[in-house]
Amino acid sequence: MISAVDTPARKLRQQAMDDLVLRRACLMAVGSKGSKYHALKGLKPAFFADDLWKHCREAIYAGVPHVVRVSGGHDGDGVPVPGVRVVDSIGGFCGERFDRKVANAR
């Protein structure tokens, strides 16, 4: 996971991940005003989700093939990125994709 948080918030974010039994997930912090572009370019993920338009745009520029914006109860703090789908929650989005795969396998 890549997060734009500072050091104290990183510890809290890691604790939250641990509480969700995501102990094996790696958390990379880029600073509270940091860019995620270089991390995304280096990691080359197949999927990226964020609540801010600027990070979704960075993911597109970094070549991430599947980018979604999680609404997060706010406007995304910027200009929408054409082609990036907005979802209410990442859980709902992942569940929807799983349901489609199961339906197609039948």
Side-chain angles (χ1 to χ4, degrees), residues 1 8-9 13 16 52-53 86 92 94:
M1 299 182 150
R13 181 85 30 104
L52 297 179
W53 286 116
V86 178
C94 291

Side-chain angles (χ1 to χ4, degrees), residues 13-70:
R13 181 85 30 104
Q14 184 67 56
Q15 183 60 51
M17 289 170 50
D18 292 348
D19 292 347
L20 291 169
V21 194
L22 297 172
R23 288 181 182 90
R24 295 182 63 182
C26 176
L27 176 62
M28 179 184 294
V30 296
S32 61
K33 303 273 186 205
S35 168
K36 296 182 180 182
Y37 172 81
H38 293 290
L40 291 165
K41 188 77 171 166
L43 293 171
K44 296 178 174 58
F47 174 80
F48 178 78
D50 204 284
D51 64 329
L52 297 179
W53 286 116
K54 71 177 185 175
H55 295 305
C56 292
R57 188 172 290 101
E58 290 172 341
I60 296 291
Y61 292 158
V64 178
H66 302 285
V67 179
V68 298
R69 180 185 167 265
V70 181

Side-chain angles (χ1 to χ4, degrees), residues 68-100:
V68 298
R69 180 185 167 265
V70 181
S71 65
H74 58 84
D75 66 2
D77 194 31
V79 178
V81 178
V84 173
R85 181 175 169 195
V86 178
V87 298
D88 290 331
S89 75
I90 197 65
F93 176 75
C94 291
E96 175 187 309
R97 290 178 60 92
F98 178 77
D99 291 344
R100 245 185 284 134

